[in-house]
Amino acid sequence: MRVLVFDGPHRFHVETRLRPAPGPGEVRLRMAYVGICGSDLHGYTGESGRRAPGMIMGHEASGWVEALGPGIESPPIGTPVTFNPGLPCDGSCGHGPGNHCALLRVIGVTPDIQGAFADAIVVPSDRVVPLGSLSLLWGAGVEPMAVALQATRRAGVAAGRSVLVVGGGMIGQSIAQTCRLEGASRVAVSDPIPERRALAVAAGFEPLRPGEVEDAGPFDTSFDAVGISATAHTAIRSIPKGAVTCFVGLGLPEVTVPLFDIVTSERTVVGSFCYPDEVFEEATQHLAEGRLDLHTLIGSVESFEDIAAAFEDLATARRTDVKIMMSTGARAPDPS
């Protein structure tokens, strides 16, 4: 099978490896679509330091069950699925929700776990989520929607609230949708890129240039879906005293924040990372039933051979798609 190997900043190569055999409690999936995540992109450029040379990235994906490991009887071979990439421990660390596990590992993020930019991947069977009526293309978009839904819950967005989302990439646009799903009455998306403001307009949200945020606020709740110092300052200063801002973007490992504005105004800053299993499954259901929408968010679909060039185009701002998908070109396996 083919795998896309990360060689360090701005470098990939395609390699041929043996298809992995699923062990006890595991299944092998034949990949159909894999999305480029913003965290993959920041790892590719070296900005975040969250990807290591030699690894295979990819944690937003869909495909079909291709082989069952010993002791596994379902889902049947050929079932369209996605997978929850979070791998919590067996509970020995004392965690509550799985994403709070102190030993949490993430497929395609933890360097020694093969990610989805490949023709096939082996995952624990309890991470597999059947897609039902959801298309395979949209199935690869479940993961970022789950990130957004968890962030919305962490921030406590409720009916009638006004929301500012700083950053109009995939996560920011998805957060805008999940805030509306939770009943927010006003949702604004701030981004310097005109095409991303246009996406917000197309989805029914209020577009803002960064310089317009101050006059448009204050907002009841804000989100930083970028994760650099400038966006952190904007998110914190756009809410009133006692309000909540949620940090989701991981653009840089360290940022500065306006501490005076946090302390003296008793603003609450919360982080959101991954999601509990039930939130991932709920995001799948919302997409399948049309309450969340990926039509405007998925840009181009690239071949395996062209996906490295797509990474570079995004890294150098030659393209502004909020979500580029890779297609392996595979067909569903024969159940017989």
Side-chain angles (χ1 to χ4, degrees), residues 152 157-163 175-176 178-187 205:
T152 301
V157 173
R161 308 293 284 177
S162 64
V163 172
I175 289 171
T178 54
C179 286
R180 180 166 60 194
L181 182 69
E182 295 289 282
S185 59
R186 179 192 179 197
V187 181
F205 304 118

Side-chain angles (χ1 to χ4, degrees), residues 205-230:
F205 304 118
E206 179 182 344
L208 294 174
R209 295 178 177 85
E212 297 172 332
V213 170
E214 184 177 358
D215 289 341
F219 297 85
D220 296 322
T221 307
S222 67
F223 295 84
D224 181 356
V226 181
I228 61 175
S229 295

Side-chain angles (χ1 to χ4, degrees), residues 103-196:
L103 305 175
L104 182 69
R105 292 152 62 82
V106 181
I107 295 168
V109 176
T110 302
D112 62 341
I113 304 175
Q114 184 207 308
F117 282 110
D119 284 321
I121 186 174
V122 166
V123 302
S125 63
D126 64 359
R127 301 289 84 195
V128 173
V129 178
L131 293 178
S133 63
L134 189 63
S135 71
L136 282 159
L137 182 60
W138 280 33
V142 168
E143 199 279 340
M145 274 296 182
V147 169
L149 186 59
Q150 173 66 4
T152 301
R153 300 277 169 77
R154 287 279 295 152
V157 173
R161 308 293 284 177
S162 64
V163 172
L164 171 70
V165 182
V166 183
M170 180 66 182
I171 296 299
Q173 302 280 353
S174 298
I175 289 171
Q177 288 199 32
T178 54
C179 286
R180 180 166 60 194
L181 182 69
E182 295 289 282
S185 59
R186 179 192 179 197
V187 181
V189 178
S190 169
D191 199 285
I193 300 174
E195 293 85 352
R196 295 188 172 182

